[in-house]
């Protein structure tokens, strides 16, 4: 028992730096993502900005129709 505690502490200290922020299991197998939530959000914002730049000539048109049961909204993307 006296030898077990130092070994256990050494194992905890040695593996303390290796951790995963996210583990995904999907059709491609198991994926371990070491990035933090903040890093993933930052990269997601960069990708979103790139998509907006790609579709500069497009606009969103919302049509609202009145029916007997209320209004119906339909959103359509129009690119010039």
């Amino acid at each position: 028992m006296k030898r077990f505690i130092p070994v256990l502490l050494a194992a905890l200290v040695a593996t303390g730096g290796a951790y995963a922020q996210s583990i995904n299991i999907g059709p491609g197998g198991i994926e371990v993502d070491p990035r933090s939530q903040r890093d993933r959000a930052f990269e997601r914002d960069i990708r979103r900005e790139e998509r907006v730049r790609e579709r500069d000539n497009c606009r969103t048109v919302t049509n609202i129709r009145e029916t007997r049961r209320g209004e119906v909204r339909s959103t359509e993307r129009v690119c010039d």
Side-chain angles (χ1 to χ4, degrees), residues 9 12 16 37 66:
L9 289 175
L12 288 174
Q37 189 74 16
E66 287 289 330

Side-chain angles (χ1 to χ4, degrees), residues 26-62:
I30 298 174
E31 175 185 348
V32 176
D33 193 2
R35 298 176 297 166
S36 68
Q37 189 74 16
R38 182 175 178 244
D39 293 339
R40 285 194 297 268
F42 185 72
E43 290 177 10
R44 188 171 44 245
D45 289 341
I46 290 173
R47 287 192 306 269
R48 188 177 298 134
E49 290 173 3
E50 289 173 356
R51 283 193 304 257
V52 168
R53 273 189 251 129
E54 289 175 358
R55 57 182 187 202
D56 284 338
N57 296 332
C58 296
R59 64 183 191 278
T60 303
V61 177
T62 303

